[in-house]
Amino acid sequence: MVVFTVPEARAELARIRPTLDRLVAVRADAAELAAALTPGGVGTALGGRAELKAAEALLDELITTVQESGVHLKGFAPLLLDFPARLDGVDVLLCWLEGDAGLDWYHRVDLGFAGRRRLPG
């Protein structure tokens, strides 16, 4: 398991940010395609079943890329990422939620998102 320092986690977030941006865009396309394919769904210029399957395959690939970096993908919509770390000798997860400008939050491993706090400093 990868354990990040705060600077390492911030650098990794910056490195994977293009992948995350692509994931968000493809997620939206897949949702639109899936809705169009439901009974009574409104058609879309994005395509049909073949394009949905391609979007789903790309989503799997993008998710794998994120996970291979050592980052935990905890939520898909919205994206929620955890970076394993240690702060003051305590195991924590540095926490990034889609829409956050940077990596500024953490929570203890045993508390989860409900225990989310701002990083000191």
Side-chain angles (χ1 to χ4, degrees):
M1 175 175 83
V2 176
V3 177
F4 295 91
T5 64
V6 173
E8 289 169 343
R10 287 180 171 149
E12 187 60 20
L13 177 60
R15 188 188 74 75
I16 65 172
R17 198 64 181 256
T19 301
L20 299 174
D21 292 343
R22 181 81 174 122
L23 200 154
V24 168
V26 175
R27 180 188 69 197
D29 289 349
E32 185 175 328
L33 287 160
L37 292 170
T38 61
V42 177
T44 175
L46 295 175
R49 186 158 313 281
E51 288 76 16
L52 175 58
K53 293 297 180 190
E56 290 170 341
L58 181 53
L59 283 173
D60 285 343
E61 193 177 302
L62 294 167
I63 289 168
T64 297
T65 298
V66 171
Q67 292 171 328
E68 285 175 345
S69 72
V71 177
H72 301 177
L73 180 63
K74 295 292 184 90
F76 181 67
L79 289 178
L80 177 60
L81 305 180
D82 282 339
F83 298 74
R86 287 185 67 75
L87 288 178
D88 299 324
V90 177
D91 289 333
V92 299
L93 297 168
L94 305 175
C95 185
W96 179 84
L97 178 63
E98 184 179 332
D100 287 351
L103 186 59
D104 299 315
W105 298 86
Y106 78 97
H107 57 82
R108 286 187 351 212
V109 173
D110 61 327
L111 295 180
F113 191 84
R116 193 173 193 231
R117 299 178 183 273
R118 275 209 176 274
L119 282 167

